[in-house]
Amino acid sequence: MKLDILALAAHPDDVELSCSGTLLKAILKGKKAGIVDFTRGELGTRGTPEIRQQEANKSAEILGLSARENLGFRDGFFKNDEEHQLEVIKMIRKYQPEIVLANAFDDRHSDHGRASQLSKEACFLSGLKNVKTEIDGLEQSAWRPKVVYHYIQSIPTQPDFVVDVSEVWEKKIASIRAFASQFFDPNSNEANTYISSPEFMKMVEARAIHYGHEIGVQYGEGFNVERMTGVEDVFDLL
């Protein structure tokens, strides 16, 4: 199945928090979108890997994804090396996205920055025909996405561009709340974490309001780029 846009993420819920609105906007326009989670989030204080998988599946339904996979990398300890790069390359070649969304360049969680580098390098290597990969015994063809954009996570940064997600905001929040084990629940008896307080969810909204305000809309999602972004027509920027 060919996708138009593929989000790569260190953990289940990274995408929901950071760029699910952008996926929703693409899907509304008839594009096919998917997520590949690198780890099962097994080092998380709350919930279990099994619960988080169920939550990821629920979120995928809410978002209307065409595909969601989990590579089962070791949470907290996966590396940006040949072994892991090849697994990510398989996913890029399998889904042949035009656009890849990847973790933040650097962030509070060390997995995020490492996943960012892993994603970027895998996207480049995926375009080299002499890098050989197979799925189900069939050799894959080289494929390189046209662009890689990095979503913003815990550490606030100045976006290079902002996507208006106002019309899909409520559904974005529903996709986040699908991960009920991870976020604020007054009935939960599990230990409190950085993301489980009601203040964290307020921060998510406040940041979206801030980025939205920068472009004159209600809610926005910000992205950073490493390569210069080009357009064919200046009116594409309207």
Side-chain angles (χ1 to χ4, degrees):
M1 178 192 302
K2 183 181 180 342
L3 299 178
D4 298 292
I5 183 168
L6 177 65
L8 304 176
H11 312 105
D13 75 22
D14 284 355
V15 168
E16 281 77 5
L17 286 167
S18 305
C19 66
S20 56
T22 299
L23 295 185
L24 283 164
K25 286 286 292 285
I27 292 166
L28 273 179
K29 294 181 178 180
K31 304 295 186 182
K32 293 185 181 297
I35 297 174
V36 171
D37 299 308
F38 290 174
T39 77
R40 302 173 70 206
E42 64 269 22
L43 294 185
T45 301
R46 295 161 66 100
T48 66
E50 292 74 22
I51 289 172
R52 292 189 74 170
Q53 184 60 57
Q54 294 170 7
E55 293 170 342
N57 293 341
K58 181 178 179 181
S59 175
E61 291 182 10
I62 292 169
L63 294 172
L65 300 180
S66 296
R68 185 167 202 161
E69 297 201 39
N70 193 300
L71 295 180
F73 292 169
R74 191 179 173 202
D75 192 14
F77 297 97
F78 69 85
K79 299 180 183 298
N80 178 18
D81 59 13
E82 180 179 358
E83 176 185 355
H84 291 81
Q85 288 167 2
L86 287 172
E87 292 305 310
V88 179
I89 289 168
K90 289 178 184 178
M91 295 295 100
I92 295 167
R93 290 176 171 179
K94 177 178 179 178
Y95 291 114
Q96 300 184 340
E98 304 298 325
I99 298 172
V100 162
L101 307 180
N103 285 94
F105 294 142
D106 186 34
D107 205 44
R108 174 179 177 272
H109 197 309
S110 60
D111 278 358
H112 295 168
R114 193 162 58 254
S116 173
Q117 286 295 114
L118 171 56
S119 298
K120 181 188 77 170
E121 293 181 26
C123 283
F124 177 80
L125 292 170
S126 180
L128 302 179
K129 67 178 183 178
N130 288 327
V131 174
K132 305 298 185 182
T133 57
E134 294 183 356
I135 287 186
D136 297 329
L138 298 176
E139 185 172 332
Q140 294 180 293
S141 299
W143 180 270
R144 182 175 294 145
K146 289 184 172 64
V147 292
V148 180
Y149 299 136
H150 297 261
Y151 45 85
I152 297 170
Q153 299 189 260
S154 294
I155 297 176
T157 62
Q158 180 64 33
D160 293 306
F161 68 89
V162 174
V163 176
D164 177 6
V165 297
S166 305
E167 67 179 308
V168 296
W169 180 255
E170 293 304 323
K171 188 169 281 190
K172 171 187 169 75
I173 293 300
S175 76
I176 294 172
R177 295 203 180 280
F179 289 88
S181 68
Q182 300 303 300
F183 300 109
F184 178 67
D185 178 359
N187 299 314
S188 174
N189 294 319
E190 293 195 89
N192 291 325
T193 68
Y194 174 75
I195 66 173
S196 69
S197 71
E199 288 74 26
F200 179 80
M201 293 302 296
K202 291 179 182 178
M203 181 278 293
V204 171
E205 181 173 19
R207 182 172 296 171
I209 291 172
H210 170 72
Y211 288 153
H213 180 73
E214 291 294 301
I215 62 169
V217 302
Q218 188 173 9
Y219 294 109
E221 290 178 342
F223 295 85
N224 292 123
V225 300
E226 286 191 311
R227 294 177 58 191
M228 182 70 70
T229 300
V231 296
E232 292 185 6
D233 188 327
V234 69
F235 286 93
D236 291 340
L237 296 172
L238 292 178

